[in-house]
């Protein structure tokens, strides 16, 4: 009898520990392909439509980053964006995030042209915030690597405007 219960206990321990190992493995998140280098800790939506749906559902603004792989300005902005802890944390916690390498059919996302990089905000009421602009009058929604403080201010503005207007 002793042998039988020891065997049963051993099998139970093996089962529990292998389940635990599987749970730990699952906890380690798979590399984020949707981040495309903009921030692997951020949960990214795949499409603009999904972004709008999530923004409305969660009452968080959607941040849309238009960029292209072979654009040096995009690469420089991406690096500054990914290395900025405050931006990464806000993007992770307070925004629905989307980075796109193609244009959407929503003309509201290109009020002054289809250039890259371009960052726009969409309110949970699904209004594109054309009033949240960068520093450059020739390309209203572009940011440069040295503009991260300005982008942070605009992210805060996007959050503040929801609370005051809805």
């Amino acid at each position: 009898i002793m042998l039988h219960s020891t065997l049963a206990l051993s099998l139970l321990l093996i089962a529990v520990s292998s389940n635990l190992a599987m749970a730990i493995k699952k906890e380690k998140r798979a590399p984020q392909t949707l981040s495309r280098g903009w921030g692997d800790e951020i949960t990214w939506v795949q499409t603009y439509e999904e972004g709008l749906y999530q923004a409305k559902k969660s009452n968080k603004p959607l941040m849309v980053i238009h960029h292209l792989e072979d654009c040096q300005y995009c690469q420089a902005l991406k690096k500054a964006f990914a290395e900025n802890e405050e931006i990464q944390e806000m993007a992770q916690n307070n925004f629905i995030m989307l980075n796109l390498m193609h244009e959407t059919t929503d003309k509201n996302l290109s009020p002054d042209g289809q250039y890259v990089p371009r960052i726009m905000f969409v309110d949970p009421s699904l209004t594109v915030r054309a009033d949240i602009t960068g520093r450059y009058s020739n390309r209203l929604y572009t940011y440069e690597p040295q503009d991260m403080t300005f982008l942070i201010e605009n992210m805060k503005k996007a959050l503040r405007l929801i609370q005051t207007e809805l």
Side-chain angles (χ1 to χ4, degrees), residues 64-66 103 109-110 113-120 141-142:
V64 184
I65 305 171
H66 285 95
E103 287 296 333
L109 281 183
S110 50
Q114 297 190 334
Y115 51 86
V116 289
R118 189 167 90 247
I119 299 180
M120 298 198 71
Y141 306 98
T142 203

Side-chain angles (χ1 to χ4, degrees), residues 35-49:
S35 85
R36 301 187 181 96
W38 290 89
D40 288 338
E41 294 303 307
I42 297 168
T43 305
W44 298 88
V45 294
Q46 205 156 357
T47 63
Y48 183 54
E49 293 65 33

Side-chain angles (χ1 to χ4, degrees), residues 12-62:
L12 181 70
L13 283 174
I14 290 168
V16 168
S17 58
S18 68
N19 283 347
L20 195 62
M22 301 247 286
I24 291 168
K25 244 190 217 104
K26 267 195 203 101
E27 200 45 48
K28 267 193 70 125
R29 298 230 325 256
Q32 251 276 31
T33 46
L34 290 175
S35 85
R36 301 187 181 96
W38 290 89
D40 288 338
E41 294 303 307
I42 297 168
T43 305
W44 298 88
V45 294
Q46 205 156 357
T47 63
Y48 183 54
E49 293 65 33
E50 186 193 344
L52 293 175
Y53 172 77
Q54 292 293 346
K56 196 176 175 69
K57 199 175 84 165
S58 65
N59 200 37
K60 291 178 178 180
L62 167 65

Side-chain angles (χ1 to χ4, degrees), residues 7 27 89 112 131:
L7 185 64
E27 200 45 48
E89 191 179 328
D112 66 339
D131 55 344

Side-chain angles (χ1 to χ4, degrees), residues 86-87 90 95 121 132-133 143 147-161:
E86 192 174 354
I87 287 179
M90 264 199 291
F95 287 85
F121 297 93
I132 302 180
T133 56
Y143 295 84
D147 299 334
M148 291 307 96
T149 316
F150 198 76
L151 180 57
I152 290 168
E153 284 313 303
N154 276 349
M155 289 171 84
K156 289 179 178 168
K157 188 174 178 182
L159 292 169
R160 205 168 46 239
L161 289 173

